[in-house]
Amino acid sequence: RRAKPRRSRALIGLIVVALLAGGAVAALRFWPNSLTAMGPTMSPAAVSTPSAAVPSTPTPSASAERTATATPASAEAVAAMEACQKRVRAADKVLEEARTGIAHWEAHVRAQRDAAAGKISVEDRQRIFKETRLKGPADQKRYADARRDYERVRDARCGKAEGADATVAAILSTCRERAVAQGPLMGAADATMGDWKSHLAAMQRSREIHVDDAQAIWISAYRAAPKNTNAYEKARRKFD
């Protein structure tokens, strides 16, 4: 009866030792800082990113092949554009000088009309006559110079040019539209500046030599003036 407790105690001891040994092995396998050699390891192939998930970058040569390159405008198209621009700018200068001269001519004519209507005195009329008459020769010179410059470039063709790219074609289109619009106004301006030139010449003759019908010549020019001045103002409004 005394030997049984010894054997029982020995058996319990063996069980405890076995449990402790198993716990130690489990701790080594699953503890975060345990030896990695104790557990299964992932191969490099298993942890690498799949190649299909990485976006591919095209090579410079492939990218260049896909990019369409714009064809530059030909030298002939650029020359046509520049010629048309010169023509339009020269015409603008003609119209600018005409506008100044015609303003003086209209003031000259209006002075006579206002004096006849009693709106201004005869003295005021004569003062305006003198002021505008003295400005007239310079008006005509600037206008003639601008016309001469325009004549040098007026033959430029403001049409479509072969080999024009989008930019050149757009500029040509704009210049062509303006050149067409300038035509009627330039015609009306030339006729009105012609009236002013004729009257300046008549006044100059009357100062140099005696002209019997000087007043009648002026009244005739005065009465005829509205035809061209009105046409000019109408064309100018349309052009604007």
Side-chain angles (χ1 to χ4, degrees):
R1 285 195 297 267
R2 290 181 180 175
K4 285 183 179 179
R6 289 195 200 99
R7 287 196 298 269
S8 297
R9 284 194 295 272
L11 182 58
I12 293 172
L14 289 173
I15 293 172
V16 171
V17 171
L19 291 174
L20 290 174
V25 172
L28 287 174
R29 289 177 62 89
F30 300 110
W31 196 262
N33 293 325
S34 63
L35 298 177
T36 56
M38 296 298 293
T41 59
M42 299 290 288
S43 65
V47 297
S48 63
T49 304
S51 59
V54 180
S56 60
T57 303
T59 61
S61 59
S63 178
E65 290 173 0
R66 288 196 300 268
T67 302
T69 56
T71 303
S74 66
E76 292 78 6
V78 173
M81 175 193 70
E82 292 175 347
C84 185
Q85 287 177 315
K86 288 179 181 179
R87 171 185 165 180
V88 169
R89 288 169 183 155
D92 278 342
K93 184 63 175 176
V94 171
L95 294 175
E96 178 185 346
E97 298 301 345
R99 186 167 186 168
T100 301
I102 292 172
H104 295 151
W105 171 232
E106 288 178 331
H108 200 87
V109 172
R110 187 166 53 251
Q112 177 68 34
R113 184 172 62 248
D114 289 348
K119 294 181 179 180
I120 62 174
S121 65
V122 174
E123 291 76 12
D124 286 338
R125 182 193 66 181
Q126 294 304 114
R127 174 181 55 79
I128 296 171
F129 277 175
K130 182 179 181 179
E131 290 175 353
T132 53
R133 174 178 59 80
L134 292 176
K135 293 176 181 178
D139 293 342
Q140 293 295 331
K141 183 181 184 307
R142 290 192 307 272
Y143 179 72
D145 290 344
R147 286 287 310 185
R148 190 159 42 249
D149 291 340
Y150 174 72
E151 291 299 324
R152 297 191 184 102
V153 296
R154 68 174 300 173
D155 292 334
R157 188 179 67 86
C158 292
K160 294 181 179 180
E162 186 176 354
D165 62 5
T167 300
V168 170
I171 293 173
L172 276 169
S173 177
T174 301
C175 283
R176 181 169 59 253
E177 181 182 359
R178 187 169 184 84
V180 170
Q182 286 169 332
L185 181 56
M186 289 186 71
D190 197 54
T192 311
M193 284 296 289
D195 290 345
W196 184 213
K197 183 179 180 179
S198 295
H199 181 60
L200 288 169
M203 286 190 294
Q204 184 64 28
R205 284 194 303 271
S206 68
R207 285 193 302 274
E208 293 174 352
I209 61 174
H210 176 70
V211 178
D212 292 334
D213 56 349
Q215 183 64 16
I217 292 173
W218 158 236
I219 294 300
S220 177
Y222 158 72
R223 289 173 177 170
K227 176 183 177 181
N228 286 334
T229 56
N230 291 343
Y232 167 76
E233 292 298 337
K234 182 179 179 180
R236 188 168 64 87
R237 288 191 298 270
K238 185 176 181 180
F239 180 76
D240 286 343

